[in-house]
Amino acid sequence: MTTPADRLTSYSRSGLTFDVRDEGPADGPVVVLLHGFPQDSRSWDHLAPLLHARGFRTVAPDQRGYSPGARPKARWAYRGSELAADTVALIDALGVGKVHLVGHDWGAAVAWQVAAERPDLLDTVTTVSVPHPLAFIKAMVTSTQGLKSWYMGAFQLPFVPEKILASTSLGEKFLVSSGQTPENARRDLNAMLAPGRLRGGLNWYRAMWMTKPNPAAARVTVPTLHVWSDGDAAIGPKGSALTPAFVDGPYRFEVLRGVSHWIPDEAPTELDRLLGEHFSS
């Protein structure tokens, strides 16, 4: 068990060890930051200092498949229940009581599940880019979201996605087409070349079909902020429009204009402002 003054560099769950970046005022309220694909905790490098200036302590793990000590091979090991349990274990390891939980991309999907299953651990939840999972599923069949998510189907193929993304030119082209800068694309792709890491990241997609949605257990009661950007090439507006139907607690929705999918990298100042308002409301 840790105390608020301790710095957490790693934590363990079920034989896996996760690396953690614990920064900012040691005695400040804790904000847990969950990254998405194909990024890691460095995706919060522009936002975290802004939160520190507000007095918050940020704790950003390299999640399952990304930390060297947490890269199981089997795709079933990346089911949503496992990903959420990893975050619950992190919050328990901090030993600080309730936290503010923020997730981007796949990290948002994990944040939605933790908020629904363990509201007792959270003061607030903020989901960036990705809407509520059930809203996303409904949007897939009622809008152009299915076309925007073509890559999710492509990532189910064995070996081929790894080869494409491991190619510097092809992988960079894929990420830049989604709005990421070439510099950040190279940053993320170079890190993904570590042994087992690219397969681990892709297994989040390959395991997404292994969890049967349970609408009754997916409702969110904690204060929720959902942030979407109208320049997102991967996530359309329909999922966000459907999300309020799955949130029973206080809910706020914000749209960042002219911003791509990569909000923490591209618009950290705007995101920091929204988080500051959300945390204090």
Side-chain angles (χ1 to χ4, degrees), residues 45-69:
D45 280 355
H46 299 301
L47 175 67
L50 302 178
L51 293 174
H52 302 159
R54 292 183 181 275
F56 291 98
R57 172 186 175 188
T58 61
V59 178
D62 289 333
Q63 297 193 80
R64 181 174 292 237
Y66 296 84
S67 287

Side-chain angles (χ1 to χ4, degrees), residues 174-261:
F174 170 71
L175 291 179
V176 170
S177 70
S178 70
Q180 200 173 33
T181 65
E183 179 183 16
N184 288 341
R186 287 190 293 270
R187 173 199 68 189
D188 297 334
L189 288 171
N190 287 339
M192 291 297 281
L193 296 179
R197 180 162 168 168
L198 186 51
R199 180 188 59 219
L202 288 168
N203 274 347
W204 285 54
Y205 293 93
R206 292 165 177 164
M208 63 189 298
W209 317 110
M210 296 182 179
T211 300
K212 185 177 180 180
N214 181 357
R219 305 197 68 81
V220 174
T221 59
V222 299
T224 301
L225 168 66
H226 178 49
V227 183
W228 176 74
S229 49
D230 64 1
D232 195 321
I235 308 292
K238 188 61 178 288
S240 293
L242 295 170
T243 287
F246 301 96
V247 181
D248 294 331
Y251 177 71
R252 180 179 177 184
F253 174 51
E254 293 288 341
V255 178
L256 299 183
R257 305 292 178 184
V259 177
S260 77
H261 175 75

Side-chain angles (χ1 to χ4, degrees), residues 33-213:
L33 302 169
L34 303 179
H35 67 82
F37 176 88
Q39 303 190 299
D40 56 27
S41 57
R42 292 175 302 167
S43 67
W44 302 106
D45 280 355
H46 299 301
L47 175 67
L50 302 178
L51 293 174
H52 302 159
R54 292 183 181 275
F56 291 98
R57 172 186 175 188
T58 61
V59 178
D62 289 333
Q63 297 193 80
R64 181 174 292 237
Y66 296 84
S67 287
R71 294 176 185 164
K73 294 182 179 180
R75 65 176 185 170
W76 60 263
Y78 295 81
R79 304 187 310 279
S81 57
E82 293 296 320
L83 305 174
D86 292 340
T87 297
V88 169
L90 168 59
I91 297 172
D92 287 342
L94 286 167
V96 295
K98 291 185 177 183
V99 304
H100 300 283
L101 183 60
V102 180
H104 173 246
D105 189 76
W106 264 110
V110 175
W112 281 117
Q113 185 162 350
V114 173
E117 296 178 352
R118 294 299 308 271
D120 57 301
L121 298 178
L122 307 183
D123 280 321
T124 68
V125 63
T126 301
T127 55
V128 184
S129 300
V130 173
H132 189 282
L134 294 180
F136 184 78
I137 291 172
K138 190 171 182 178
M140 289 276 282
V141 297
T142 60
S143 70
T144 59
Q145 185 58 59
L147 295 175
K148 289 179 177 291
S149 300
W150 63 269
Y151 59 92
M152 291 186 175
F155 285 172
Q156 305 305 311
L157 296 172
F159 310 120
V160 176
E162 282 90 336
K163 289 184 177 296
I164 292 176
L165 291 173
S167 166
T168 302
S169 59
L170 293 176
E172 183 176 329
K173 185 176 181 179
F174 170 71
L175 291 179
V176 170
S177 70
S178 70
Q180 200 173 33
T181 65
E183 179 183 16
N184 288 341
R186 287 190 293 270
R187 173 199 68 189
D188 297 334
L189 288 171
N190 287 339
M192 291 297 281
L193 296 179
R197 180 162 168 168
L198 186 51
R199 180 188 59 219
L202 288 168
N203 274 347
W204 285 54
Y205 293 93
R206 292 165 177 164
M208 63 189 298
W209 317 110
M210 296 182 179
T211 300
K212 185 177 180 180

